[in-house]
Amino acid sequence: MILPSQRSLFNIPTDICYLNAAYMTPLTKRQIAIGDDGLNKSASPWLYSEQDFFTDVDAVRCLAAELLNAHSNNIAIVSSASYGLAVAGKNMPVTKGQVILMIEGQFPSNVYEWARLAKEKQAELVFVETPENHDWTTAILDAVSMYGERIAFAALANVHWASGAVLDLEKIASALQENDAGLVLDLTQSVGAMPINLSKIDPDFAVCASYKWMMGPYGLGVLYVADRHHDGEPIEQNWINRAGSENFANLVNYQHVFQEGAKRFDFGERSNFILMPVYKEGLRQLLEWGVENIAHSLADMNTRLVTIAEDVGLKAISRKFRSPHMLGIDLGVDADKYAKKLKAENIYVSIRGTMLRVAPHLWISEQDLNRFETVMRYI
């Protein structure tokens, strides 16, 4: 189902063409109102009950699990993608001489943790080179075949953050499992914009920051933790992830037993009374629209944007290898020229290397698409 423009739900001026959801999504009007309510209530902290420390957090856990096709018991609340990847780094087994497999040009947060771990364990970092046609799935499968049982795990994304090229995680996960290798995922550039089923992929860990396609605020995210890691070690020791933390009067009776499932990995002060309700509303809105409907709608927009790009002599990543919601257009040496002209016309995109990264969402209108076409034709 192709959804109509949802621009009326957002405070986006008519002269702004915001094709940059992969950078950050704007909050809806309703989210802004909810955030204002949270700020106002924070002026009267006596209004918060002990149960308020848990209610919205539990709701977010359940809504995120629905988006991921997972169980809420597998969802931890984290402050950022890097926090979640640090949890994974503390719990993924790797020994001297083993390989940690990644892709070239991967987002830094999903590299630095593995560089640290490889140095500590004397493991080897292997980056799969960018395939000319952006068929990452085949390139990664070839690398898995080459390194085989030397692979400790692969640390990957679902969508390349710079180009929008998609990875077939079910195929890759299957190949890794055949070699007894693990899988850690950064899903920040995909969850909420395209369907994903973690029950089929079965990664060890999968993190997603909220402020892009999950339509949440900056400073929150979720971490999927497979059952096999539920006895793992969190990276901090806080009171709220311990058993019985709901009973504030009993907190001085120190608990060394954690809450069940992935909750042991929750970050401290997770109950952010301003941001968490905003996050909950963003997740609710996504599920109301339906992720499959979002993916179909954005794919339809990007088909139009590809036609515009090709009509002016530019080359976009083949539909066969790109995600439905992000579009990489190769600008070559002219990247800066395009970036400056588009910004001058209040058209917001991202330049990543030589790629023009276009990432529309449901706030885009026909007027926006027409403006983009007009400007691109006269650069």
Side-chain angles (χ1 to χ4, degrees):
M1 174 181 176
I2 304 295
L3 297 169
S5 174
Q6 304 292 305
R7 197 181 188 92
S8 64
L9 301 182
F10 298 86
N11 278 327
I12 303 175
T14 55
D15 64 334
I16 297 296
C17 176
Y18 189 66
L19 293 164
N20 211 3
Y23 174 67
M24 186 182 296
T25 52
L27 300 177
T28 64
K29 295 175 183 177
R30 181 169 171 78
Q31 285 177 297
I32 294 168
I34 289 170
D36 286 343
D37 287 344
L39 279 171
N40 289 328
K41 190 174 179 181
S42 292
S44 308
W46 52 89
L47 297 176
Y48 290 115
S49 70
E50 294 176 4
Q51 184 55 44
D52 288 332
F53 283 78
F54 301 90
T55 302
D56 283 335
V57 171
D58 290 341
V60 165
R61 209 183 302 274
C62 291
L63 292 168
E66 189 173 347
L67 275 179
L68 293 166
N69 283 284
H71 193 281
S72 61
N73 200 44
N74 294 100
I75 303 299
I77 306 298
V78 296
S79 56
S80 62
S82 58
Y83 187 103
L85 292 166
V87 170
K90 193 160 189 174
N91 291 277
M92 287 301 292
V94 57
T95 58
K96 182 178 180 179
Q98 284 193 299
V99 164
I100 299 173
L101 192 68
M102 293 178 285
I103 60 175
E104 185 178 43
Q106 193 158 282
F107 192 76
S109 293
N110 201 15
V111 174
Y112 295 144
E113 177 61 27
W114 313 124
R116 178 205 64 78
L117 185 61
K119 183 179 180 181
E120 177 185 312
K121 301 293 185 179
Q122 298 181 57
E124 180 184 355
L125 295 182
V126 172
F127 291 88
V128 179
E129 292 184 2
T130 305
E132 194 169 322
N133 62 354
H134 295 276
D135 179 5
W136 281 111
T137 302
T138 298
I140 294 166
L141 292 176
D142 288 345
V144 172
S145 179
M146 178 186 300
Y147 290 98
E149 294 182 358
R150 280 192 62 201
I151 301 174
F153 61 90
L156 303 170
N158 195 8
V159 173
H160 195 289
W161 74 291
S163 68
V166 70
L167 285 65
D168 189 329
L169 293 180
E170 290 188 27
K171 286 184 179 179
I172 293 167
S174 178
L176 290 166
Q177 288 160 11
E178 289 175 5
N179 288 277
D180 294 321
L183 177 61
V184 178
L185 298 172
D186 179 357
L187 302 177
T188 299
Q189 288 291 11
S190 57
V191 172
M194 59 183 289
I196 189 165
N197 191 332
L198 291 189
S199 65
K200 289 185 177 181
I201 297 167
D202 189 28
D204 292 273
F205 295 89
V207 70
C208 185
S210 77
Y211 66 97
K212 298 181 187 288
W213 304 97
M214 286 186 98
M215 289 187 61
Y218 197 84
L220 289 176
V222 293
L223 174 69
Y224 168 91
V225 183
D227 289 354
R228 55 189 172 274
H229 293 289
H230 282 186
D231 291 329
E233 188 176 353
I235 62 174
E236 62 174 276
Q237 305 299 321
N238 62 65
W239 64 272
I240 205 164
N241 64 8
R242 302 298 174 122
S245 59
E246 297 86 354
N247 183 358
F248 285 25
N250 197 45
L251 292 179
V252 292
N253 294 318
Y254 306 125
Q255 274 286 345
H256 299 292
V257 177
F258 289 96
Q259 295 267 358
E260 292 184 356
K263 290 180 182 179
R264 68 168 56 208
F265 301 108
D266 286 355
F267 79 108
E269 300 189 16
R270 69 182 192 190
S271 307
N272 191 306
F273 302 117
I274 300 168
L275 298 185
M276 195 60 71
V278 174
Y279 193 9
K280 181 177 73 171
E281 169 58 20
L283 295 172
R284 184 208 64 78
Q285 182 64 75
L286 288 174
L287 290 167
E288 180 182 300
W289 285 330
V291 175
E292 288 195 5
N293 294 333
I294 294 169
H296 287 312
S297 302
L298 301 187
D300 186 65
M301 287 185 208
N302 278 324
T303 297
R304 166 92 175 267
L305 294 168
V306 167
T307 300
I308 293 169
E310 291 179 343
D311 283 351
V312 296
L314 299 174
K315 184 179 180 182
I317 291 177
S318 165
R319 185 168 186 169
K320 182 179 179 181
F321 301 125
R322 72 172 183 259
S323 63
H325 57 291
M326 287 170 62
L327 174 63
I329 300 171
D330 194 355
L331 300 178
V333 297
D334 293 328
D336 286 342
K337 180 180 75 172
Y338 278 88
K340 289 176 182 177
K341 180 60 176 175
L342 289 166
K343 187 173 182 179
E345 298 294 334
N346 284 336
I347 298 174
Y348 291 88
V349 294
S350 283
I351 302 294
R352 297 293 181 262
T354 62
M355 284 283 180
L356 174 70
R357 188 185 70 184
V358 183
H361 212 300
L362 296 179
W363 54 74
I364 293 298
S365 65
E366 184 67 22
Q367 176 185 330
D368 291 323
L369 296 174
N370 289 336
R371 285 184 60 207
F372 180 80
E373 180 172 11
T374 298
V375 174
M376 289 294 286
R377 287 189 184 281
Y378 291 99
I379 294 180

